[in-house]
Amino acid sequence: MSIGTPINRQYVCMLIDGTPVIDWGDSRAQDIFSGDFVEFNESKYSHPITDNELDVLIKAGRVADYDSQTVFVHALPEPPRQTLD
């Protein structure tokens, strides 16, 4: 059993600028290195993340493990949410 939050690999991709992100839907993605949320649309998409790119993220301490279907990421910040006043 791997440590970390399991993310379906189809939602982990690279942007054109080389940023690895998790696509959370609703035009929102999360930068795996910084944890920052970024606007995401098809024009910024480059390709699905590769094993070599995931190996770099493991060495950087951002990803715990991966297999052909799942990427196990270390804790990331929660998305900003509207609060009740």
Side-chain angles (χ1 to χ4, degrees), residues 29-40:
Q30 189 169 18
D31 182 327
I32 295 174
F33 274 118
S34 69
D36 293 338
F37 289 87
V38 296
E39 186 177 324
F40 180 72

Side-chain angles (χ1 to χ4, degrees), residues 1-7 62-65 70-75:
M1 182 171 177
S2 292
I3 297 172
T5 303
I7 305 292
R62 299 299 186 203
V63 168
D65 199 8
T70 309
V71 176
F72 298 90
V73 296
H74 292 295

